[in-house]
Amino acid sequence: QKEVEQDPGPLSVPEGAIVSLNCTYSNSAFQYFMWYRQYSRKGPELLMYTYSSGNKEDGRFTAQVDKSSKYISLFIRDSQPSDSATYLCAMSRTSGNTPLVFGKGTRLSVIA
Amino acid sequence: GAVVSQHPSWVICKSGTSVKIECRSLDFQATTMFWYRQFPKQSLMLMATSNEGSKATYEQGVEKDKFLINHASLTLSTLTVTSAHPEDSSFYICSVSRGSYNEQFFGPGTRLTVL
């Protein structure tokens, strides 16, 4: 079993839809969770980061962490064509200078 | 966040030559930088952890003699692909870790094509 599982998609939604992206993980030691957005041929861009369980909201984005289920989610409200990208979840055990473990990424297309 | 640059953004070279890729942390002194490679439609694969003033830590399966990493200062790490071959063609990305949550900030990436 891989440490982090993420459905690669592709996921196609109409403009304005609510998008739900998810990752599951197997290692209960993960405490720090991040979501990145990557456009084609670009480096990943940090969208959200959270610690332990709970919700965090930033504009149209909401990140949720359920450590009891080892499940994290990213919700995008009022999706826009500019949200079309690959979304990667990432996590780590510690808070400083350690490599992240990434999911495979989910390709999202928002159709106008 | 942190601002990270990479140079060059793309490079084409002949098989057998060496290519150096620079990663700079522009607004933050980074004792640790990370190097990843990414093949088309695949996720990031960690190659090595670059530590300022000491030897890099390579992931299993990554040839340290082929992928030379030098972290010469708190703002610069370089990755040199030695004797490059077509199978080394990939997207190479560096990152720095900053903040209490181990947030990592990535450079724009370098696309290497070996002919």
Side-chain angles (χ1 to χ4, degrees):
Chain A
Q1 182 185 11
K2 294 189 178 185
E3 277 195 294
V4 180
E5 299 273 7
Q6 184 176 9
D7 187 338
L11 179 62
S12 184
V13 301
E15 183 176 0
I18 297 175
V19 176
S20 172
L21 304 166
N22 312 293
C23 288
T24 58
Y25 61 95
S26 58
N27 191 335
S28 58
F30 287 133
Q31 297 190 76
Y32 299 89
F33 304 94
M34 276 143 271
W35 285 96
Y36 288 85
R37 176 174 63 195
Q38 186 177 24
Y39 292 112
S40 181
R41 298 175 180 260
K42 302 289 184 183
E45 172 193 7
L46 180 62
L47 282 178
M48 302 282 284
Y49 57 91
T50 55
Y51 169 70
S52 195
S53 287
N55 292 2
K56 184 174 182 179
E57 187 174 320
D58 184 1
R60 296 186 295 113
F61 299 92
T62 300
Q64 286 186 351
V65 175
D66 182 350
K67 289 193 71 181
S68 63
S69 302
K70 299 191 182 69
Y71 187 87
I72 68 171
S73 301
L74 177 71
F75 297 96
I76 307 174
R77 291 182 297 281
D78 188 24
S79 55
Q80 304 294 311
S82 58
D83 294 327
S84 298
T86 296
Y87 290 80
L88 300 126
C89 64
M91 47 199 78
S92 72
R93 300 169 186 78
T94 64
S95 61
N97 289 340
T98 56
L100 298 177
V101 180
F102 282 89
K104 285 196 166 185
T106 300
R107 283 189 292 136
L108 171 67
S109 293
V110 181
I111 311 299
Chain B
V3 182
V4 182
S5 71
Q6 280 184 244
H7 178 79
S9 56
W10 60 270
V11 57
I12 301 173
C13 69
K14 292 182 178 180
S15 186
T17 61
S18 294
V19 175
K20 179 185 283 189
I21 302 170
E22 293 185 349
C23 175
R24 291 185 184 274
S25 176
L26 299 181
D27 62 346
F28 172 64
Q29 292 189 323
T31 56
T32 303
M33 295 184 181
F34 303 96
W35 286 96
Y36 297 82
R37 66 189 295 181
Q38 186 177 36
F39 292 107
K41 298 187 179 181
Q42 294 190 25
S43 190
L44 290 82
M45 185 192 84
L46 178 68
M47 298 177 66
T49 301
S50 170
N51 301 297
E52 189 269 336
S54 64
K55 291 183 178 180
T57 302
Y58 290 82
E59 294 300 298
Q60 192 172 11
V62 177
E63 299 175 59
K64 58 183 67 176
D65 294 331
K66 180 168 185 61
F67 299 98
L68 300 178
I69 291 173
N70 182 22
H71 196 145
S73 74
L74 290 172
T75 58
L76 174 64
S77 177
T78 60
L79 168 67
T80 301
V81 183
T82 62
S83 187
H85 288 95
E87 58 266 29
D88 298 323
S89 299
S90 189
F91 194 50
Y92 292 86
I93 319 174
C94 67
S95 72
V96 302
S97 175
R98 183 178 189 179
S100 57
Y101 286 43
N102 195 25
E103 309 98 283
Q104 286 191 19
F105 299 90
F106 287 83
T110 296
R111 184 160 302 280
L112 170 64
T113 301
V114 184
L115 302 177

